Amino acid sequence: ETERAMREINGHQKVWIIASRGDEYSAQSSETLGKIKPNEATVTIFDGSEHGTNLFQAQPTVIAKIVSFLLA
């Protein structure tokens, strides 16, 4: 489902995919998804092993970066 959705993204849409390096499945999946639409997707892999919203505690700047991405 996610790969199909990535293929449907057009040039006016941007996607930021984040994961942590120690969450190997998510990090690998994120890299794979980013390669589907490299001009529309930005992939950021953080140090650590957190998954999902646990990244917010481990990477305190990630919330501000999300807001900046959404406002850009």
Side-chain angles (χ1 to χ4, degrees):
E1 290 289 323
T2 307
E3 287 185 23
R4 182 183 55 77
M6 282 297 292
R7 286 186 181 84
E8 294 176 2
I9 290 173
N10 65 49
H12 300 290
Q13 298 170 306
K14 299 294 180 193
V15 177
W16 184 33
I17 304 167
I18 63 174
S20 61
R21 194 169 318 285
D23 183 0
E24 293 180 22
Y25 177 79
S26 293
Q28 290 172 355
S29 297
S30 296
E31 296 286 352
T32 298
L33 291 172
K35 290 175 184 173
I36 292 172
K37 288 285 188 163
N39 294 326
E40 291 83 5
T42 299
V43 178
T44 303
I45 306 297
F46 290 100
D47 289 332
S49 60
E50 295 74 25
H51 179 83
T53 57
N54 290 329
L55 275 168
F56 297 160
Q57 287 183 336
Q59 303 291 333
T61 62
V62 77
I63 293 174
K65 289 178 181 181
I66 290 170
V67 171
S68 294
F69 174 81
L70 292 172
L71 294 175

